[in-house]
């Protein structure tokens, strides 16, 4: 059983999958930063200083505590509907989807180009009779010398 697992784990697909997961995790951090640190502040500025990450609706606040930010609501255990975080997640998903679409489109284009290239023609082997005649000729040349 251990031998079978080693064979499975060492196969190329398993290694490629592991590399893809690691790159995906790093890519997720980049996308999160683009959305949270670059894209959403610009959109918020355009919309009059609205901070999407702090856009929420209080669902239950039995003690009537003032809730100036999502962090305060979460700290005090107040139930909220986090619309801004959802919007950020949708934007992140859209960015990832667009980037993956572009990458897959480029890969497919490269595959089509490589498939369209004709394979170099290999000259056909000479007929058997020609090979035999060449050998006989070479033998006769070596005898006369």
């Amino acid at each position: 059983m251990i031998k079978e697992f080693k064979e499975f784990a060492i196969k190329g697909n398993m290694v490629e999958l592991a590399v893809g997961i690691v790159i995906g995790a790093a890519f997720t951090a980049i996308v999160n930063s683009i959305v949270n640190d670059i894209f959403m502040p610009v959109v918020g500025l355009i919309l009059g200083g609205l901070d999407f990450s702090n856009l929420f609706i209080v669902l239950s606040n039995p003690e009537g505590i003032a809730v100036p930010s999502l962090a305060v609501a979460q700290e005090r255990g107040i139930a909220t509907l986090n619309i801004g975080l959802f919007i950020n997640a949708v934007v992140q998903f859209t960015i990832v989807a667009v980037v993956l679409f572009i990458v897959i489109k480029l890969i497919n284009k490269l595959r089509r180009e490589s498939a369209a290239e004709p394979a170099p023609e290999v000259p056909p082997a000479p007929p058997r009779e020609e090979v035999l005649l060449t050998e006989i000729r070479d033998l006769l040349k070596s005898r006369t010398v």
Side-chain angles (χ1 to χ4, degrees), residues 66-87:
V67 187
S69 70
L70 181 60
V72 171
Q74 289 175 341
E75 179 183 302
R76 297 195 176 153
I78 298 171
T80 58
L81 185 63
N82 304 324
I83 297 169
L85 296 178
F86 177 73
I87 292 171

Side-chain angles (χ1 to χ4, degrees), residues 10-139:
I10 295 175
K11 285 185 180 178
N13 292 342
M14 187 70 156
V15 174
E16 290 170 1
L17 178 65
V19 169
I21 289 172
V22 170
I23 289 173
F27 186 68
T28 300
I30 291 170
V31 170
N32 285 338
S33 178
I34 288 171
V35 170
N36 294 331
D37 302 329
I38 296 172
F39 186 72
M40 295 313 278
V42 171
V43 171
L45 183 65
I46 292 170
L47 296 177
L50 180 63
D51 179 12
F52 278 98
S53 64
N54 202 31
L55 183 62
F56 64 97
I57 297 172
V58 176
L59 296 177
S60 173
N61 188 359
E63 299 174 13
I65 300 171
V67 187
S69 70
L70 181 60
V72 171
Q74 289 175 341
E75 179 183 302
R76 297 195 176 153
I78 298 171
T80 58
L81 185 63
N82 304 324
I83 297 169
L85 296 178
F86 177 73
I87 292 171
N88 283 351
V90 169
V91 170
Q92 289 171 355
F93 171 79
T94 305
I95 291 172
V96 170
V98 167
V99 169
L100 287 178
F101 173 75
I102 291 169
V103 168
I104 290 172
K105 188 170 179 137
L106 290 174
I107 289 171
N108 287 339
K109 181 180 178 184
L110 292 174
R111 283 185 183 166
R112 279 187 298 243
E113 287 176 0
S114 66
E117 293 176 5
E121 287 190 33
V122 177
R128 186 169 184 262
E129 294 84 11
E130 190 177 324
V131 173
L132 288 174
L133 287 172
T134 306
E135 289 175 2
I136 292 170
R137 182 197 66 201
D138 293 342
L139 282 173

